[in-house]
Amino acid sequence: MDEHVNDIYVKKAQVDGYRSRASYKLIEINEKDNLFRAGSVVMDLGSAPGGWSQIVAPIVGDSGRVIASDILPMSGIVGVDFIQGDFTDEAVYDQILQTLGDDQVDTVVSDMAPNMSGVNTTDQYASMYLVELALDMARNVLKPGGRFFCLEFSKIQNSNFDFIYKKYSELLPAIGQFIVGEKQPYEYLVKSIENFVNQEELIDLMKKEGFEKCFYRNLSGGIVSIHSGWKI
């Protein structure tokens, strides 16, 4: 435990006030892929504990907007409109749209995971359904040329990473507690970590929903993957 808590990125996140070490990954990705900039309207689905919204809000600034949603609670962030609720509930889905109003979205970022039942086939179906719903939301709210982006735990391509992957997922709640004093979002992630849609399935879903120029890029041997596509 100590070697992970004392990991350089965990310490840096605590010093910098970030809610997740994943914040640094989003900074790196945005520098490379230009997901958002000053004035962008961004929707963050599956936002708790707020590591992504926390990075996006200062960049888009007062001329932009961030609309975030999660089934779990999230401490407030300046410049972020947060809707707590089950995304599969039509009332919550509609509340997100009402909060957005007449604005069109430049980028939808998604890091959602379903509530786990412990039954693999049920959980995989729930994961697939949640991804489809996120893509449906993205297709409805994105402006032409807008982008859907998700960073998902996925199917490991390098078997040498199996042990590291499992151990790190077990330590996530403790790391979350150490950094932001909240372990629930990380416990939720660990329960769902084995049931994400694999890389090719997600690309097929994105194309089915009408997104173009879809691609994925594996990180850390496929422990996580970036998926991206554009609404044309």
Side-chain angles (χ1 to χ4, degrees), residues 33-77:
D33 294 323
N34 267 337
L35 296 176
F36 43 84
R37 58 185 64 83
S40 293
V41 178
V42 178
M43 185 171 288
D44 183 2
L45 302 176
S47 57
W52 285 17
S53 287
Q54 190 179 27
I55 296 300
V56 176
I59 293 176
V60 304
D62 293 339
S63 59
R65 293 189 66 191
V66 181
I67 299 94
S69 180
D70 202 295
I71 194 172
L72 297 172
M74 185 180 87
S75 302
I77 298 172

Side-chain angles (χ1 to χ4, degrees), residues 26 29-37 40 42 106-107 109 147-149 228:
L26 184 60
I29 291 168
N30 192 51
E31 288 175 349
K32 181 175 182 178
D33 294 323
N34 267 337
L35 296 176
F36 43 84
R37 58 185 64 83
S40 293
V42 178
D106 295 288
T107 305
V109 295
R147 188 172 184 180
F148 175 78
F149 172 89
S228 182

